[in-house]
Each structure stands twice: as structure tokens, then as C-alpha cells.
Amino acid sequence: HHDKDDLMTQYCLSNQEVRRNVANYIIAGLEKRGGVGNFCFGQVDTPQGMCQCETCKALDGPHENGAGGTGSRTTRFVKTINEIAAQVWKRYPDADLRMWAYLNYRELPEGVKPDPRFTLYFCSHERCFAHRLDDPSCARNVRVIGLLKGWLKLLPNTYLYDYLTCTRGTGYTCNEFVEASDIALYKRLGMVGWKEEGRFSDCQPYGEGAELVVQRFPSVWQWLYVSGHLL
């Protein structure tokens, strides 16, 4: 939700009632569909507003919280969804449960591993689209691919979630050659898919730079068309 200062806040993840409610919500959805469907775990789209109760802070890794901490909250996130997922899998052992490595829970967890049955969406924030993801001369991409490889050791069933078409300033970028190299890289790494976030030209514009939305998709659909065939 948004408070008076327009800052989004997160749930208290250590609260057992919150965990039971989420598990029951997922189970109820699967029951309606005869066990068919999937659920993806994520958090509110902001690094702010994390619960600061002592129980939640105790879930964080030793290098995540406190003075000089990284700001990552992956460890509390993974501990929480592991417990929720266990309740779901007890009822539906084959349930398709997924998770994000996203924003302030994209760093690798400390002292805990996600259940290997999860499918992962690795979000490529801060990557450089002007260089191949495995270009050793690009400091941004060296960091991002390092994180990706770390996650792949934990969860081989991983998709890449890219953001080229919704990044400000890329309305007229053709990226076929970089994408061709990257898609081949994803296959070599054993990844199961690639997903691109996009805004269609007839969508409702919103947010900063909304006036550019209607111009963006006509400039990138050719790249998406080529990428689809490369896949």
C-alpha cells in the first residue's frame, strides 16, 4: 500500500498468519483448477518499507542488515517462501511454484538455499544492453552474470527476465546482435527460457516518460520478432 509519503511498504514476512494466509490462498487457487496452474513469489516493487520488527530482522543474513549491510533481503525472502511452499507442496506435491530474484532480493541468500523445486525468474536489473552479457570488458555485465551463475547453481530451472523495451531511452534501439549472442549464452548455461517485458503502443501510458510509450513499441517490435525466431 501507499502511505502519506507515497512509500510502498512490505508485509511482515515473519508473521505466521501472513505465511498461512498466502499458503491457503495458493492452495485454494489450485483446488479450483484441479491442481493446474502456477504461483510466483515476489514482493512489492520497491526496496523500501521492509519490516523492521526484531523477528523479521533475525531472518536476514549476517551481511544484509545493520550498519554497513548490503540492503539485500534475499535471505528473509527465501526462508519465508520455503516455508510457505512446503505447506503447498504437502497438499499438491507437483505444484508449479516460482520465485523472482529481483531488486533487493536478487543477491544470493546467506546460509539458506531455496527449495530446488522452484522455478526462478532472474531479473537483469542494471545490466548493460550495449554489450553481451558475458562481455568481460563490461563491469556491469560481469556483476550481473556473476549473480546469474550463482543462482543457476541453486536453481537450474531458471528464466531470464529482461527489460530492454521498458527502459527509458531505448525506444529506438535495435539489439539483434547482442540478443543473438545472449540467447546462445542462455542455452549454454542450461537456462529454460527468456522473457522480455514490453509495453504495447495501445496500452495506457503511466509513470515518468509515459508520453514515449506509444512511440516505443513500433521501434522495437522488429527486434522482438527476430529474437522470437532466434529462440
Side-chain angles (χ1 to χ4, degrees), residues 31 37 51 54 98 147 160 165:
E31 286 177 345
C51 181
E54 292 304 316
R98 307 178 182 191
L147 282 173
L160 192 85
T165 69

Side-chain angles (χ1 to χ4, degrees), residues 8-9 11 36 38 73 94 122 128 132 139 151 177 181 209:
M8 292 183 279
T9 54
Y11 286 107
V36 177
N38 64 72
R73 295 294 182 268
D94 297 323
F122 179 86
C128 168
R132 304 186 327 269
W151 277 106
F177 291 102
S181 174

Side-chain angles (χ1 to χ4, degrees), residues 63-76:
H63 301 101
E64 294 179 335
N65 214 333
T70 62
S72 174
R73 295 294 182 268
T74 309
T75 304
R76 77 164 67 174

Side-chain angles (χ1 to χ4, degrees), residues 52-174:
Q52 294 299 312
C53 78
E54 292 304 316
T55 314
C56 273
K57 289 194 292 185
L59 295 173
D60 293 334
H63 301 101
E64 294 179 335
N65 214 333
T70 62
S72 174
R73 295 294 182 268
T74 309
T75 304
R76 77 164 67 174
F77 176 68
V78 169
K79 289 177 179 177
T80 300
I81 66 172
N82 273 350
E83 182 180 310
I84 296 170
Q87 297 178 51
V88 177
W89 279 317
K90 185 176 180 179
R91 183 71 173 272
Y92 287 98
D94 297 323
D96 182 1
L97 301 182
R98 307 178 182 191
M99 60 173 286
W100 284 343
Y102 178 70
L103 206 61
N104 65 329
Y105 48 105
R106 190 180 62 155
E107 298 291 324
L108 293 169
E110 298 182 2
V112 64
K113 295 180 180 180
D115 190 294
R117 288 172 287 183
F118 277 118
T119 293
L120 176 73
Y121 280 96
F122 179 86
C123 301
S124 64
H125 298 104
E126 301 171 320
R127 73 154 291 178
C128 168
F129 286 101
H131 298 95
R132 304 186 327 269
L133 186 58
D134 60 349
D135 187 335
S137 69
C138 179
R140 280 180 173 268
N141 288 352
V142 167
R143 168 170 162 71
V144 173
I145 196 172
L147 282 173
L148 172 59
K149 288 180 176 179
W151 277 106
L152 281 165
K153 292 178 182 178
L154 299 175
L155 296 173
N157 200 41
T158 291
Y159 284 79
L160 192 85
Y161 195 134
D162 257 342
Y163 296 89
L164 180 70
T165 69
C166 70
T167 303
R168 196 191 324 168
T170 60
Y172 301 96
T173 299
C174 293

